[in-house]
Amino acid sequence: MTSNAESSVPTARVRVWDLPTRLFHWALAGCVIGLVVTAKTGAMEWHFRLGYTTLALLLFRLVWGFAGGYWSRFGSFLRGPGAVMAYLRGRADPHSQLGHNPLGALSVLGMLSVLLLQVSTGLMADDAISFTGPLAAFVPGAWSSWATDWHKDAGQWLVIALVVLHVLAVAFHAVVKRERLVPAMVTGDRTVQVATAVPQSRDDLPRRTLGLVLFSLCAAVAAWVSTLQG
């Protein structure tokens, strides 16, 4: 009589996304949608408000990438080309994919970079008709002209394209790979099969308080930038 080769593997719920990261994710998603809608409808006052909010969120995420929970830190998910190729060939360490997999990490980096560029060009833009960014008076006219063209044309379409790609990637993981990524960004937890200890993101009251303090500072910076206009 042979033993069962397919013995059960123990599972555990792992705190992957701390509360500040989850709030950032959904707030940024709402802001990006709102920015697109207000840009298309000409509601520029709200467009600027959402733009400053997005600036605060992006500044926070940059800081939280060093101070946040384990899986929110850049050091836990940004990897080299070798890790990306191993993931594409199905050879990646499963535990290394608990947060962002190597390909998803590139997507996150790309999204943050493009949004930072879009917000920065918005701050420098001046179409001489309906809006002037608070930094337009502090940069050369050629810079402001380029920023205006980029922000209104290529930049916004690049943001929309990345958002659509992100949604499609989440749908692919849900339908094809049977990985439910959205619930984890709501609850913060993922259930994993474990043979060894898996790092968890610290998500206690002191860490959440730190996140609130850091975001408040980032919001203060964004508010200060908004006062530079005029």
Side-chain angles (χ1 to χ4, degrees):
M1 183 176 179
T2 59
S3 61
N4 186 359
E6 297 182 356
S7 59
S8 61
V9 179
T11 61
R13 289 185 66 82
V14 176
R15 176 52 53 95
V16 177
W17 305 122
D18 51 56
L19 182 61
T21 299
R22 284 177 275 150
L23 292 177
F24 159 81
H25 178 274
W26 296 114
L28 185 65
C31 282
V32 170
I33 294 172
L35 284 167
V36 172
V37 171
T38 53
K40 297 301 182 183
T41 59
M44 298 311 299
E45 182 177 353
W46 278 102
H47 190 76
F48 268 94
R49 289 174 180 172
L50 290 170
Y52 295 130
T53 304
T54 301
L55 173 61
L57 288 169
L58 293 173
L59 291 175
F60 168 76
R61 188 62 183 93
L62 292 178
V63 176
W64 202 242
F66 299 96
Y70 178 84
W71 296 104
S72 298
R73 298 176 197 163
F74 297 130
S76 73
F77 63 83
L78 292 182
R79 305 177 186 89
V84 175
M85 293 304 299
Y87 172 76
L88 292 175
R89 293 170 180 168
R91 301 174 183 172
D93 177 7
H95 289 172
S96 70
Q97 304 174 50
L98 190 57
H100 294 298
N101 63 57
L103 198 59
L106 292 180
S107 174
V108 170
L109 184 62
M111 180 72 77
L112 292 178
S113 299
V114 168
L115 286 176
L116 280 170
L117 177 59
Q118 188 68 357
V119 170
S120 299
T121 53
L123 295 174
M124 295 186 292
D126 181 4
D127 72 348
I129 301 175
S130 60
F131 68 89
T132 301
L135 301 184
F138 300 94
V139 299
W143 289 22
S144 182
S145 178
W146 175 85
T148 304
D149 292 340
W150 173 268
H151 191 83
K152 294 174 63 177
D153 296 319
Q156 69 161 319
W157 291 112
L158 183 56
V159 170
I160 293 172
L162 286 177
V163 170
V164 171
L165 184 62
H166 178 72
V167 172
L168 291 176
V170 171
F172 173 81
H173 276 269
V175 175
V176 178
K177 304 190 72 173
R178 302 296 181 183
E179 295 181 17
R180 302 176 64 209
L181 302 180
V182 173
M185 192 52 75
V186 174
T187 66
D189 297 335
R190 293 188 67 178
T191 301
V192 297
Q193 293 182 336
V194 292
T196 58
V198 179
Q200 298 206 40
S201 288
R202 182 180 169 187
D203 192 24
D204 52 14
L205 181 59
R207 184 53 59 96
R208 293 178 177 184
T209 302
L210 175 62
L212 178 61
V213 171
L214 291 175
F215 177 74
S216 298
L217 293 174
C218 293
V221 171
W224 171 74
V225 170
S226 72
T227 66
L228 297 177
Q229 187 171 8

